[in-house]
Amino acid sequence: MRVLVTGGAGFIGSHVVEALRARGHEPVVFDVRTDPTADVRSPDAVRGALSGVDSVCHQAAMVGLGASFADAPEYVSRNDLGTAVLLAAMAEAGVRRLVLAGSMVVYGEGRYACARHGVVRPGPRAVTDLAAGRFDPACPVCGADLEPGPVGEDAPVDPRNVYATTKLAQEHLAAAWARSTGGSAVSLRYHNVYGPGMPRDTPYAGVASFFRSALARGEAPRVFEDGRQRRDFVHVRDVAAANVAALTAEPAAGALTAYNTGSGTPHTVGETARALAAAYGGPDPVVTGEYRLGDVRHITADSSRLRAELGWKPEVAFEDGMREFASAGPRGD
């Protein structure tokens, strides 16, 4: 199978390329890092890249929370306009198979249950609560403490920052393309991906990368809030394997299917900082109590649908992956 991999020279994309080659497929890298003309917003460049292609693995995106809301036009341009241009070219070229790099950020907060009111949907956290160190959302009905749990693909979506909004728009565009063309679209909703090749020293990198960069400078990792916020850290090689599984599975024509792509084993951000510090041999993390309004408190994955339908399972254990990541060479961009 000949697969166009947009963003194929990036962090996740490069691992997808390796995984495809290892399984006997022919990846075609389309990335501005290696070719300044390879921009998914350029119809001519995309049309040329689609020649002879059987399917597309769309990894190109602007990621992370960014520096400020001033980044919004660039996020929308790169993520949503780029996806629209790509899908229009695929419709014209007759390419009918897409795997999209989705994200768990489309959910907003994760799944919460109240002892009295069952599963509830807390609203955005108030600045007054965050400033007072009240980080966990309360039941919107009675104000009681909530128990966080894994979120499934059928949960309501509630994007709470610009990046999240653009990732949801990508899914809607892909679904519209699938209905219009009879194509097959899969969105792999990545949780916190980490591993070799992860970008560093940029507001668009992930939290594990921030921690490792601090350790490389001889500094203690700085942990926001109280460090107890839960995430699902999934290794990049496992994510690459999920992409190959989605590309080679029996497609569902005319629709988009979403799959959570996580390890299934939640860890706190504080645990992650401590694991990296121990593996690196650096100073212990510092819990700052600081917060970012765009962050959610807990978001972890129920990836059972991906396991059951595509036969995928994560192979890299958290402890092993963090040890490897602590010593892995990062990208400089």
Side-chain angles (χ1 to χ4, degrees):
M1 177 171 54
R2 195 163 192 256
V3 183
L4 180 68
V5 184
T6 70
F11 168 44
I12 297 174
S14 61
H15 285 272
V16 172
V17 167
E18 291 176 8
L20 284 166
R21 284 190 181 132
R23 291 159 177 81
H25 301 291
E26 182 187 355
V28 178
V29 173
F30 186 81
D31 197 308
V32 291
R33 295 174 181 86
T34 54
D35 178 359
T37 69
D39 190 326
V40 290
R41 296 169 292 184
S42 168
D44 289 341
V46 173
R47 286 192 198 103
L50 285 170
S51 178
V53 161
D54 302 301
S55 57
V56 174
C57 188
H58 185 29
Q59 304 293 318
M62 186 173 178
V63 301
L65 279 180
S68 71
F69 197 83
D71 287 330
E74 191 70 8
Y75 272 108
V76 172
S77 175
R78 290 183 180 274
N79 296 355
D80 298 339
L81 175 60
T83 299
V85 170
L86 173 65
L87 292 170
M90 289 174 65
E92 180 183 333
V95 179
R96 296 291 183 263
R97 189 162 193 149
L98 172 74
V99 173
L100 171 69
S103 177
M104 54 82 181
V105 295
V106 300
Y107 297 117
E109 286 284 354
R111 182 182 186 275
Y112 291 89
C114 171
R116 289 179 58 193
H117 298 102
V119 175
V120 294
R121 295 281 296 175
R125 296 182 293 173
V127 173
T128 52
D129 287 336
L130 294 169
R134 294 187 293 270
F135 301 120
D136 283 295
C139 175
V141 181
C142 66
D145 293 341
L146 298 174
E147 181 64 29
V151 62
E153 291 90 349
D154 296 330
V157 291
D158 185 17
R160 296 190 178 183
N161 55 57
V162 171
Y163 170 61
T165 302
T166 65
K167 296 308 287 184
L168 183 57
Q170 283 185 311
E171 288 195 358
H172 288 323
L173 286 165
W177 166 84
R179 287 192 296 270
S180 174
T181 65
S184 165
V186 168
S187 177
L188 297 175
R189 289 176 176 171
Y190 301 158
H191 281 246
N192 290 68
V193 186
Y194 74 99
M198 195 173 188
R200 65 179 178 184
D201 300 331
T202 161
Y204 310 99
V207 65
S209 183
F210 293 151
F211 294 158
R212 187 186 58 182
S213 292
L215 290 163
R217 296 191 300 267
E219 301 171 2
R222 294 176 61 81
V223 180
F224 281 6
E225 301 186 16
D226 58 4
R228 296 175 186 167
Q229 56 272 46
R230 299 183 192 180
R231 298 290 187 269
D232 186 320
F233 292 90
V234 58
H235 196 276
V236 67
R237 288 196 297 273
D238 287 331
V239 168
N243 275 272
V244 176
L247 285 163
T248 55
E250 191 65 32
L256 178 137
T257 305
Y259 292 104
N260 287 335
T261 308
S263 71
T265 306
H267 291 275
T268 68
V269 172
E271 281 181 273
T272 304
R274 290 191 294 273
L276 281 171
Y280 198 91
D284 290 337
V286 174
V287 178
T288 68
E290 298 171 1
Y291 61 89
R292 299 186 301 181
L293 279 179
D295 282 339
V296 297
R297 179 59 172 171
H298 303 295
I299 177 69
T300 60
D302 177 357
S303 299
S304 57
R305 178 186 291 179
L306 180 59
R307 294 171 185 245
E309 295 186 8
L310 300 188
W312 171 89
K313 65 177 181 178
E315 301 288 347
V316 182
F318 176 80
E319 295 77 9
D320 296 336
M322 287 296 167
R323 279 194 295 269
E324 177 197 33
F325 181 54
S327 59
R331 291 178 53 87
D333 53 4

